[in-house]
Amino acid sequence: MGFIFGWLSTEHYVRDIFLMTSVAAIVATLMSIRFYLRITAGRCFTETKMEGKTVIITGANSGIGKETAKDLAGRGARIIMACRNLETANAVKDEIVKETQNNKILVKKLDLGSQKSVREFAADIVKTEPKIDVLIHNAGMALAFRGQTSEDGVELTMATNHYGPFLLTHLLIDVLKKSAPARIVIVASELYRLSSVNLAKLNPIGTFPAAYLYYVSKFANIYFARELAKRLEGTKVTVNFLHPGMIDSGIWRNVPFPLNLPMMAITKGFFKTTKAGAQTTIYLATSDEVANVSGKYYMDCKEASLNAAALDEEKGLKIWEESVKIAKLTPQDPKI
Ligand SMILES: NC(=O)c1ccc[n+]([C@@H]2O[C@H](COP(=O)([O-])OP(=O)(O)OC[C@H]3O[C@@H](n4cnc5c(N)ncnc54)[C@H](OP(=O)(O)O)[C@@H]3O)[C@@H](O)[C@H]2O)c1
Ligand SMILES: *[C@@H]1O[C@H](CO)[C@@H](O)[C@H](O)[C@H]1NC(C)=O
């Protein structure tokens, strides 16, 4: 007893209580944020079956793309996994076949950072696929500090995230039109808001830190998607784009030590799973609700708004015209 009173009477008591309450408050706040993020993770309950549909998914060997492929395979779709790493892609393919009992899963080589690879992939598809119902531009990458340049002399993040998909869409557009109603789904990012696209530097080699170009490339995705939707009006090929949420995936892998440590705490503690991250893509690829919707931005399976810069159609048009040159489209290639 005397010992307890002794402890109570010291100022340690006040300090300890203060410390304990602070820690409890911080833990409670973090838990509530985590809980809030979990319950607001969009879930798409669309039951649409995809039997008889062919879907191309880029970057389907990991992260959000893998979960998208698994879900659509479960709905009976024929899936073309367009991946640069055939080894991991084939392993994921086996996993999907086993889990969904759907063996209409194909793996094809596609490196979006190489125009040659994009052209080879597209030529193969045009030759072998009579019909593409959904094209999902999911693949994406980010660098940390130092930039890289593609074999075509294009800044690598922009080449992979924007110019590659831009070129691929052109090369596949005739198949898509022929398959109409068809859909194009583009995985962009809300992080576009942290950047702006510099018209004078559309091939931004030498930008430091290179991570900034991830945001720029995602902004370019949005300009591309909106201008594409305009050009495809009346074709019954729709284009919608989305933010998957902040997701614990491989996209953060290039964050260097020691920044990767706090980053890992954040991604593991607060970001959503890749399965949750796939929901809006799945929604846009399958739901009847969006069968006739085009040119819109989605988040958590609901339409979302864009900032004023993203709505600048004149800028979107200029970026398109420059992209034709940087992606080295020729007069023999399909026009959109
Ligand atoms: N994670 C997020 O919080 C978040 C937020 C907003 C938007 N996004 C977007 O979501 C999409 C999917 O990313 P994720 O989060 O699932 O990341 P991830 O796990 O890193 O998956 C990215 C996929 O893209 C593929 N890829 C990268 N470069 C490629 C290339 N040159 N050619 C072909 N495929 C390539 C990767 O293949 P490898 O396995 O060969 O590298 C991988 O399959 C990206 O467009 C990303 O920008 C993600
Ligand atoms: C979409 O448009 C077609 C006609 O082009 C119509 O038959 C269909 O009911 C529409 N779907 C929705 C969900 O509005």
Side-chain angles (χ1 to χ4, degrees):
M1 264 326 219
F3 151 75
I4 290 181
F5 280 116
W7 180 64
L8 279 179
S9 63
T10 62
E11 59 193 28
H12 287 266
Y13 166 74
V14 178
R15 196 196 61 195
D16 291 350
I17 292 288
F18 176 73
L19 272 178
M20 280 190 310
T21 339
S22 313
V23 170
I26 292 170
V27 170
T29 311
L30 292 179
M31 296 290 282
S32 334
I33 295 177
R34 189 187 159 98
F35 180 68
Y36 172 79
L37 293 174
R38 283 285 140 97
I39 57 166
T40 53
R43 275 271 178 278
C44 299
F45 296 103
T46 101
E47 299 278 314
T48 319
K49 288 276 170 268
M50 296 291 279
E51 266 123 19
K53 309 255 189 214
T54 298
V55 182
I56 295 180
I57 308 174
T58 66
N61 60 315
S62 79
I64 297 168
K66 172 180 167 181
E67 291 302 329
T68 306
K70 206 179 271 184
D71 181 285
L72 299 182
R75 294 167 192 266
R78 183 160 167 277
I79 310 281
I80 298 172
M81 300 173 59
C83 304
R84 65 173 168 178
N85 183 335
L86 295 181
E87 207 174 303
T88 52
N90 276 309
V92 167
K93 171 195 152 169
D94 292 344
E95 187 185 321
I96 294 178
V97 170
K98 211 163 136 195
E99 235 174 84
T100 63
Q101 306 295 320
N102 176 347
N103 52 21
K104 302 183 297 289
I105 317 291
L106 279 78
V107 169
K108 284 186 193 276
K109 170 91 182 170
L110 170 66
D111 179 351
L112 284 160
S114 153
Q115 293 174 3
K116 178 165 170 275
S117 173
V118 172
R119 285 183 178 279
E120 281 169 6
F121 171 81
D124 177 5
I125 294 291
V126 167
K127 199 167 76 198
T128 56
E129 298 294 329
K131 169 171 95 82
I132 297 295
D133 300 281
V134 187
L135 168 61
I136 301 177
H137 287 299
N138 163 82
M141 53 87 84
L143 296 169
F145 296 108
R146 266 174 35 146
Q148 286 180 38
T149 304
S150 80
E151 64 194 29
D152 308 297
V154 184
E155 188 291 318
L156 190 63
T157 304
M158 290 297 284
T160 308
N161 297 1
H162 170 62
Y163 295 111
F166 182 86
L167 175 60
L168 181 59
T169 307
H170 276 79
L171 301 177
L172 296 184
I173 202 66
D174 291 337
V175 196
L176 285 158
K177 284 184 181 164
K178 209 168 64 181
S179 316
R183 304 181 186 197
I184 300 171
V185 178
I186 300 177
V187 183
S189 173
E190 182 68 357
L191 294 180
Y192 83 89
R193 290 178 191 268
L194 302 177
S195 73
S196 79
V197 179
N198 182 351
L199 285 176
K201 236 183 159 210
L202 283 170
N203 184 9
I205 292 171
T207 302
F208 188 87
Y212 175 71
L213 296 174
Y214 175 72
Y215 311 142
V216 177
S217 71
K218 293 286 126 181
F219 210 151
N221 287 164
I222 293 175
Y223 283 117
F224 168 50
R226 281 174 47 83
E227 177 65 24
L228 179 61
K230 226 161 75 178
R231 291 174 184 234
L232 291 177
E233 246 172 57
T235 62
K236 292 198 186 295
V237 179
T238 63
V239 191
N240 292 295
F241 50 107
L242 67 116
H243 172 58
M246 295 308 286
I247 308 302
D248 178 19
S249 73
I251 200 94
W252 316 102
R253 73 169 76 87
N254 289 332
V255 177
F257 179 84
L259 285 178
N260 61 339
L261 299 179
M263 191 66 221
M264 205 152 80
I266 295 171
T267 54
K268 297 288 169 212
F270 297 104
F271 285 9
K272 298 194 279 187
T273 60
T274 47
K275 193 168 177 179
Q279 299 302 309
T280 307
T281 303
I282 296 162
Y283 175 74
L284 291 176
T286 65
S287 175
D288 283 340
E289 280 170 30
V290 290
N292 298 329
V293 175
S294 194
K296 301 290 188 211
Y297 183 43
Y298 283 77
M299 212 186 284
D300 284 339
C301 306
K302 287 191 286 286
E303 199 185 325
S305 56
L306 293 162
N307 70 15
L311 300 175
D312 185 341
E313 298 192 9
E314 216 173 293
K315 187 164 180 178
L317 179 59
K318 283 189 190 138
I319 294 170
W320 182 289
E321 286 165 349
E322 282 309 305
S323 298
V324 167
K325 297 179 203 157
I326 295 173
K328 299 193 185 74
L329 278 152
T330 71
Q332 287 75 49
D333 292 323
K335 264 210 170 46
I336 304 182

